[in-house]
Amino acid sequence: MRIAVIGQQDFGKAVLEAFLKRGDDVAGVFCAPEKPGAKPDVLKTAAVEKGLEVFQFPSLKSPEAEAAMRGLGADIGIMAYVLQFAPQSFVSIPTHGTIQYHPSLLPRYRGPSSINWPIARGELQTGLTIFRPTDGLDEGPVILQKVCPIGADATLGDVYFDALFPMGVDAMLEAADLVVAGRHVEIDQDEDAATYEGWFRAAEAEIHWSAHAEQIYNLIRAANPAPGAWTTVDGKKLQIFDSRLHPIRRLADVKGKPGEVVAIDADGFSVCAQGGQIQVSKVKAEGGKKVAAAVYVEETGLAVGQMLGR
């Protein structure tokens, strides 16, 4: 089939390479222009290396973008991680329209941080959706869905790189084949079941030690590796990455107050929270690099009894 790829970053690059590997004809590649001083997007670099035509329009709503898409004569458009708004006048140009990847089980978790939020909320599964893009964000009819579990200790990185990324590449190929062959079914999303969440950024990743230990642990997992859950130590920011949850089951086992460092060992340090302790094994101090928590303790003199947080 003859395709047009619209995307960016590593996922866009992987999708492009998957279609090329199986022999599809990539008519052209659309990706967002770089910000001043930024390196070229890896999708653009890969497309240029393969001699493909690359388009970088500030807006896909422009007449120039629509003319470029129309000139490709594509059978189908493939949207693989796209942050630019793509209007119906653009996505409807290919013969069989356009399909888009979203890393959640739509209509749940519409929005730009759809992998972080299910982990932060303690969900046991998530998945991906291939759908028809409409002018509403992540609101178009569903073509294909795949489910994957969220392990009890799985981080954002685990869920995305080990599951949703490779599954998503395969799902794009499968959905494109179904659509071009006319064998797909489009199912409207159930608006009564829909949710929308915004960005999961630094403000959302702040640890409140008065929360339940399970909530804190889920937050840390949801922010690992980015944006990084964080707290403060003597007024300076400390990001927490790798950690473990240790539930407290008896009053006699409770040590310290929420936010208090209650233990230091060869693996790092443990912090008290409601219902348990968070054992911290990898951190990043303000202005520093990621290090083992034990190294941080040695370098800073963090001690039992010290309070974390604002």
Side-chain angles (χ1 to χ4, degrees), residues 187-235:
I187 301 173
D188 290 337
Q189 294 186 36
D190 179 1
E191 290 300 316
D192 290 336
T195 65
Y196 172 84
E197 290 79 24
W199 286 101
F200 188 101
R201 289 173 168 158
E204 291 74 29
E206 180 180 2
I207 298 171
H208 298 280
W209 292 105
S210 59
H212 195 277
E214 190 171 305
Q215 291 176 282
I216 294 171
Y217 183 57
N218 292 340
L219 178 75
I220 294 170
R221 295 189 299 121
N224 184 5
W230 63 278
T231 184
T232 56
V233 181
D234 294 331

Side-chain angles (χ1 to χ4, degrees), residues 27-291:
V29 175
F30 295 82
C31 56
E34 300 88 11
K35 294 180 180 179
K39 294 181 179 179
D41 189 275
V42 293
L43 171 60
K44 175 186 176 180
T45 300
V48 170
E49 288 175 351
K50 293 169 174 58
L52 302 174
E53 190 167 10
V54 176
F55 303 96
Q56 292 184 283
F57 297 105
S59 172
L60 297 178
K61 296 186 288 184
S62 67
E64 293 80 10
E66 292 177 16
M69 177 62 88
R70 194 169 290 110
L72 296 180
D75 295 317
I76 189 170
I78 305 295
M79 291 179 67
Y81 190 73
V82 181
L83 296 181
Q84 287 180 296
F85 174 69
Q88 291 299 290
S89 56
F90 178 81
V91 299
S92 62
I93 292 172
T95 304
H96 297 278
T98 295
I99 59 174
Q100 183 172 353
Y101 164 84
H102 183 74
S104 85
L105 294 172
L106 293 174
R108 295 277 289 165
Y109 297 108
R110 294 169 174 169
S113 294
S114 57
I115 311 174
N116 309 78
W117 288 114
I119 301 172
R121 295 189 62 198
E123 300 273 14
L124 300 179
Q125 70 174 26
T126 185
L128 63 90
T129 302
I130 311 298
F131 69 105
R132 288 286 197 190
T134 64
D135 287 345
L137 183 63
D138 305 327
E139 296 175 18
V142 171
I143 294 171
L144 184 69
Q145 290 189 314
K146 305 285 185 180
V147 177
C148 76
I150 300 176
D153 298 311
T155 65
L156 171 72
D158 297 331
V159 174
Y160 182 58
F161 293 111
D162 295 345
L164 295 181
F165 188 115
M167 286 170 57
V169 174
D170 291 341
M172 290 297 269
L173 298 173
E174 181 181 349
D177 288 342
L178 290 171
V179 171
V180 172
R183 294 187 289 109
H184 70 295
V185 176
E186 298 186 18
I187 301 173
D188 290 337
Q189 294 186 36
D190 179 1
E191 290 300 316
D192 290 336
T195 65
Y196 172 84
E197 290 79 24
W199 286 101
F200 188 101
R201 289 173 168 158
E204 291 74 29
E206 180 180 2
I207 298 171
H208 298 280
W209 292 105
S210 59
H212 195 277
E214 190 171 305
Q215 291 176 282
I216 294 171
Y217 183 57
N218 292 340
L219 178 75
I220 294 170
R221 295 189 299 121
N224 184 5
W230 63 278
T231 184
T232 56
V233 181
D234 294 331
K236 294 184 179 180
K237 189 173 182 179
L238 178 71
Q239 290 178 291
I240 294 176
F241 294 96
D242 296 349
S243 66
R244 280 290 181 268
L245 170 64
H246 297 285
I248 295 295
R249 308 190 189 283
R250 302 183 306 163
L251 175 61
D253 295 328
V254 175
K255 297 179 181 179
K257 301 175 181 179
E260 182 178 348
V261 177
V262 294
I264 291 175
D265 56 31
D267 295 323
F269 60 92
S270 296
V271 185
C272 175
Q274 296 289 356
Q277 295 178 4
I278 304 296
Q279 182 183 14
V280 180
S281 57
K282 182 171 287 186
V283 299
K284 181 178 182 293
E286 189 173 323
K289 298 179 180 180
K290 285 184 183 181
V291 296

Side-chain angles (χ1 to χ4, degrees), residues 11-40:
F11 185 73
K13 176 176 179 284
V15 169
L16 169 67
E17 292 175 339
F19 277 99
L20 288 172
K21 183 178 180 179
R22 71 174 199 173
D24 290 298
D25 179 15
V26 178
V29 175
F30 295 82
C31 56
E34 300 88 11
K35 294 180 180 179
K39 294 181 179 179

Side-chain angles (χ1 to χ4, degrees), residues 293-310:
V295 173
Y296 172 80
V297 170
E298 183 177 355
E299 291 178 347
T300 63
L302 184 76
V304 171
Q306 199 159 349
M307 297 296 295
L308 307 186
R310 296 190 288 185

